[in-house]
Amino acid sequence: MNWKVLFAAITVILFGIFFDSITDNRIFKAVMAGDVQYIRASAFDSWLYAYGFMLFIMIIQNSFTVIPLILVITINIALFGFLKGFLWSWFSSVVAGAIVFGVIRYLLYDFASRKISAKQLSRIEENGFAYVFSARVMPLVPTSLVNILSGLSSIGLKSFILGTALGNFIYFFLLGLVPAGVISSDVNNYVLAAILIGMLTVFWWLGRFKRRKNRKMKISMKSIWYHK
């Protein structure tokens, strides 16, 4: 008996049962409908349940991308406030991404690998961390696709988590400014991408300027010691 297939089947069945029970929840239906006001007005049994519920929503978002990411972040901020909502959105996205990554790599690899060409995976593996980071920062790449392709590739879990954590921190912070009222809700993905590219360009230029300044300082220090 193939124990990996058996364990994968049990996991899928349990997830399906849990998913079916959650979908009957009125709050879940409100999430799917984007009714943030109803969710905010609903009384959760406890804060632990609220955090756990939103973690499950993030896992669904990272698995199928049926729920807009901006909506998940907006709900978290509405429930927990800007700082806690942003941090929980970011942390839960890293956890959810790692879960989907692990399920694809260790349970569903044989099934999922038939859908992806080896040539496509080789291009991803050449970039590794850079691929995960850039895909997380760019809003044009679906979250679930990044998780699946990374799980099928030879990218290490450490590189995947690091790229996800850094990329999502930048992107989620920018998305969090929408429900906070700093950025208009009418902004589209292309505008967000342009803003992110501009921010990364500024960071890259500042880092390059700092490295040049440090090099010049080292050269001047060597020159001083040489003349002494």
Side-chain angles (χ1 to χ4, degrees), residues 8 21 34 51 100 105 111 138 155 167 203 212 215 219 221:
S21 63
Y51 281 111
V100 178
R105 173 161 296 185
F111 171 77
M138 290 297 103
I155 296 175
F203 289 144
R212 282 184 176 180
R215 275 200 303 267
I219 292 173
M221 290 297 294

Side-chain angles (χ1 to χ4, degrees), residues 28-41:
F28 181 85
K29 293 178 180 179
V31 170
M32 296 300 294
D35 191 351
V36 179
Q37 295 299 326
Y38 176 83
I39 298 168
R40 191 174 185 179

Side-chain angles (χ1 to χ4, degrees), residues 108-122:
L108 302 178
Y109 182 87
D110 293 337
F111 171 77
S113 60
R114 301 170 190 169
K115 312 294 182 180
I116 307 297
S117 66
K119 186 177 181 180
Q120 186 176 4
L121 290 178
S122 64

Side-chain angles (χ1 to χ4, degrees), residues 59-224:
I59 292 174
I60 294 176
Q61 201 281 332
N62 273 258
S63 302
F64 309 109
T65 319
V66 293
I67 307 174
L69 185 58
I70 180 63
L71 178 59
V72 180
I73 296 174
T74 300
I75 294 172
N76 277 326
I77 291 177
L79 288 175
F80 312 122
F82 178 78
L83 182 59
K84 290 182 180 179
F86 158 68
L87 291 176
W88 184 247
S89 298
W90 170 68
F91 176 77
S92 60
S93 72
V94 177
V95 174
I99 290 174
V100 178
F101 176 92
V103 168
I104 293 296
R105 173 161 296 185
Y106 301 111
L107 295 179
L108 302 178
Y109 182 87
D110 293 337
F111 171 77
S113 60
R114 301 170 190 169
K115 312 294 182 180
I116 307 297
S117 66
K119 186 177 181 180
Q120 186 176 4
L121 290 178
S122 64
R123 287 199 298 266
I124 296 172
E125 291 165 351
E126 288 175 1
N127 297 299
F129 165 81
Y131 162 77
V132 178
F133 175 77
S134 59
R136 296 301 190 194
V137 171
M138 290 297 103
L140 306 178
V141 183
T143 305
S144 57
L145 184 60
V146 179
N147 298 330
I148 294 172
L149 292 177
S150 299
L152 293 175
S153 70
S154 61
I155 296 175
L157 179 61
K158 183 178 179 181
S159 297
F160 173 80
I161 291 179
L162 185 60
T164 298
L166 294 177
N168 279 0
F169 190 89
I170 298 172
Y171 183 48
F172 279 36
F173 181 77
L174 188 60
L175 287 182
L177 298 179
V178 175
V182 179
I183 296 179
S184 171
S185 59
D186 296 331
V187 66
N188 58 38
N189 286 338
Y190 294 100
V191 175
L192 287 175
I195 295 173
L196 285 166
I197 292 173
M199 290 173 59
L200 292 175
T201 302
V202 171
F203 289 144
W204 174 82
W205 184 85
L206 290 174
R208 185 179 179 185
F209 175 78
K210 187 176 181 180
R211 287 192 297 270
R212 282 184 176 180
K213 188 175 181 180
N214 290 336
R215 275 200 303 267
K216 289 181 179 179
M217 186 176 294
K218 288 180 180 179
I219 292 173
S220 62
M221 290 297 294
K222 287 182 180 179
S223 177
I224 292 171

